[in-house]
Amino acid sequence: SQTIHQWPATLVQPVGSPLSLECTVEGTSNPNLYWYRQAAGRGLQLLFYSVGIGQISSEVPQNLSASRPQDRQFILSSKKLLLSDSGFYLCAWSATGGRNYGYTFGSGTRLTVV
Amino acid sequence: DQQVKQNSPSLSVQEGRISILNCDYTNSMFDYFLWYKKYPAEGPTFLISISSIKDKNEDGRFTVFLNKSAKHLSLHIVPSQPGDSAVYFCAVNNQAGTALIFGKGTTLSVSS
């Protein structure tokens, strides 16, 4: 069966520090991968999605970047965190090939920038 | 501009009664609609979906209704249970079909 792992669960980082959140998927090949953020009062905001290795699409210009170095690995990064980067970050995957609508989300990372 | 709107941030319902969560969308080209449920500190989980070729889809206590002319969908939970207390997100596929667009969510509280 397919599983998605996301870590760490919680993170407190000072302003100006770097960030690296990792997400891996098991049990499937060539998944579509997504990073979402849930900020207070903002709902679930799509940040990045990837349909293949090295293919990253950004939905919202911001202080963050994403990379997909391997088929089932998706990384969210920042060189210098801002206070406004605080939020609940969620990684998700869906099957590729045609329009598949089922997303499976990871358990999320609560990031607090202080 | 929001493409998916959930105008009620919260809803309180008594156990056993019906919960109705609403969602409006702006683009008549959207053709597949989903509801997700989220508990605090967890990722959202898929609840129920509906294609634009239907106007109703039912799964146990959960029913989703789609009104294409009004660009409106709703989720009915009958009977509501305390375990249903969570944030409910409405979602649609973006126009490219590459990602889901979510509403801001409605927090449902079911009291016993």
Side-chain angles (χ1 to χ4, degrees):
Chain A
S1 63
Q2 303 91 350
T3 55
I4 180 168
H5 302 281
Q6 190 181 341
W7 66 92
T10 58
L11 192 59
V12 180
Q13 291 283 99
V15 169
S17 64
L19 173 74
S20 181
L21 301 181
E22 189 165 342
C23 171
T24 59
V25 180
E26 295 179 357
T28 187
S29 296
N30 197 28
N32 292 336
L33 297 172
Y34 311 87
W35 279 109
Y36 283 85
R37 177 173 62 197
Q38 184 183 19
R42 296 291 302 275
L44 286 174
Q45 183 184 32
L46 177 64
L47 302 176
F48 302 95
Y49 67 90
S50 172
V51 298
I53 296 174
Q55 300 179 60
I56 309 295
S57 296
S58 174
E59 289 293 300
V60 181
Q62 57 207 317
N63 186 42
L64 303 169
S65 62
S67 62
R68 185 171 176 173
Q70 300 180 45
D71 180 46
R72 290 170 286 181
Q73 184 186 30
F74 205 23
I75 298 172
L76 183 70
S77 304
S78 174
K79 291 183 180 178
K80 288 185 178 181
L81 284 169
L82 306 172
L83 286 174
S84 58
D85 292 324
S86 294
F88 191 57
Y89 288 82
L90 289 154
C91 180
W93 78 273
S94 69
T96 191
R99 299 188 73 186
N100 182 286
Y101 307 101
Y103 280 31
T104 300
F105 283 85
S107 53
T109 295
R110 170 69 62 190
L111 172 66
T112 304
V113 182
V114 296
Chain B
D1 190 26
Q2 278 185 270
Q3 299 183 67
V4 181
K5 299 178 183 179
Q6 293 179 258
N7 292 319
S8 297
S10 63
L11 174 68
S12 294
V13 173
Q14 281 192 316
E15 182 178 8
R17 307 294 291 268
I18 184 172
S19 295
I20 300 176
L21 298 105
N22 295 303
C23 177
D24 297 297
Y25 58 95
T26 57
N27 192 332
S28 58
M29 299 300 292
F30 290 147
D31 62 356
Y32 207 86
F33 308 88
L34 307 91
W35 285 94
Y36 280 76
K37 176 180 178 180
K38 183 183 181 299
Y39 293 115
E42 294 182 9
T45 55
F46 171 74
L47 191 57
I48 192 169
S49 61
I50 188 167
S51 164
S52 61
I53 63 174
K54 296 184 176 181
D55 54 19
K56 176 184 175 180
N57 187 28
E58 189 173 353
D59 183 2
R61 297 186 296 115
F62 302 90
T63 303
V64 55
F65 295 92
L66 176 62
N67 182 333
K68 289 184 288 294
S69 60
K71 291 198 263 290
H72 176 85
L73 68 156
S74 61
L75 174 68
H76 292 210
I77 306 173
V78 183
S80 301
Q81 299 174 354
D84 296 328
S85 298
V87 179
Y88 289 79
F89 291 97
C90 170
V92 302
N93 235 285
N94 65 0
Q95 285 186 266
T98 50
L100 288 178
I101 303 170
F102 287 83
K104 289 188 176 183
T106 297
T107 300
L108 173 65
S109 299
V110 180
S111 57
S112 54

